[in-house]
Amino acid sequence: DKPNVRSLVFKEHEGSYLVGIMAAMASQTKKVGFIGGMDIPLIRKFGCGYVGGAKAAGATEVIQNMTGDTPAAWNDPTKGGEIAKTQIDQGADVIYAAAGGTGVGVLQAAADAGKLGIGVDSNQNGLQPGKVLTSMLKRVDTAVYNAFMDGKNGTFEAGINNLGLKEGGVDYAMDENNKDLVTEEMKAAVEKAKADIIAGTITVHDYMSDDSCPY
């Protein structure tokens, strides 16, 4: 709480809702998976938003697992792969990883099994080209750039800056690696949901404000 400090936080639940829609639409089994890293409220926020989007787009089940309850859970790709295999055995054919380095193992296991993964934070589509449906982007680049430009232009405001879809703080990734996986129908559905969230027609539940998930 200082006049020269801007705290940047993100509405990860909004971006996760979008990739949840894509996961359900891409799924053959209508069962999709979520693998978190360390079991903390922030990661449950990702998971809850994802469940909301997946259920809205017709998923019948979202299998959720956390990797652990210590910081080691962020960097255990072997365990991530094992959890992914377990979820695939339970019928999940699209798996979203919000698990740091552990997610690399999740995406690898999904690709090896002929299933689809979903990346997180940065564009991870290229880690397993053609096997990563999309990535939920956290636009730290935009947030930092805007802070610098506000400083340069004399419009810098301190305090908490909470960036969602409306502010360009979260999004989903499209590139050469996943263009053949995302149908026009999927793109239309996710863009409609994005517009509805920005307009306030859809409100995605924020686990951090109320630690329950109503979906």
Side-chain angles (χ1 to χ4, degrees):
D1 188 19
K2 300 287 179 187
N4 64 331
V5 176
R6 177 181 290 183
S7 298
L8 302 171
V9 292
F10 297 85
K11 298 178 183 175
E12 295 94 351
H13 52 300
E14 292 186 354
S16 296
Y17 187 94
L18 297 186
V19 301
I21 289 174
M22 293 175 80
M25 292 182 75
S27 173
Q28 303 292 312
T29 62
K30 295 306 168 195
K31 289 184 183 180
V32 298
F34 173 82
I35 297 175
M38 188 176 172
D39 191 353
I40 54 173
L42 174 68
I43 298 303
R44 291 195 173 267
K45 180 183 178 185
F46 281 86
C48 183
Y50 177 70
V51 173
K55 292 278 180 77
T60 55
E61 189 179 348
V62 183
I63 303 163
Q64 296 188 70
N65 294 105
M66 297 290 181
T67 306
D69 51 15
T70 68
W74 299 121
N75 200 24
D76 194 343
T78 304
K79 190 168 181 186
E82 288 166 0
I83 297 171
K85 285 175 196 156
T86 303
Q87 291 194 353
I88 289 164
D89 288 345
Q90 292 172 275
D93 58 358
V94 186
I95 302 175
Y96 176 30
T102 299
V104 175
V106 175
L107 298 181
Q108 177 79 57
D112 289 349
K115 310 301 181 189
L116 293 172
I118 295 177
V120 77
D121 290 347
S122 60
N123 183 351
Q124 298 182 321
N125 296 359
L127 289 180
Q128 301 290 336
K131 295 291 185 183
V132 178
L133 177 63
T134 187
S135 297
M136 197 289 282
L137 302 176
K138 191 188 288 191
R139 297 302 304 268
V140 179
D141 53 345
T142 303
V144 173
Y145 177 81
N146 290 346
F148 272 91
M149 291 307 289
D150 288 349
K152 176 175 182 277
N153 298 329
T155 53
F156 183 89
E157 288 180 3
I160 293 175
N161 204 339
N162 195 3
L163 307 164
L165 287 169
K166 190 175 185 178
E167 299 77 19
V170 292
D171 211 339
Y172 66 100
M174 289 299 303
D175 61 17
E176 286 299 302
N177 295 305
N178 72 332
K179 66 175 174 33
D180 294 338
L181 301 173
V182 181
T183 64
E184 288 305 316
E185 186 191 6
M186 285 161 67
K187 227 179 286 185
V190 84
E191 283 298 323
K192 182 181 186 311
K194 186 176 176 179
D196 285 344
I197 292 167
I198 290 170
T201 318
I202 293 175
T203 303
V204 184
H205 182 76
D206 182 355
Y207 185 90
M208 300 285 271
S209 63
D210 164 18
D211 61 353
S212 65
C213 190
Y215 304 115

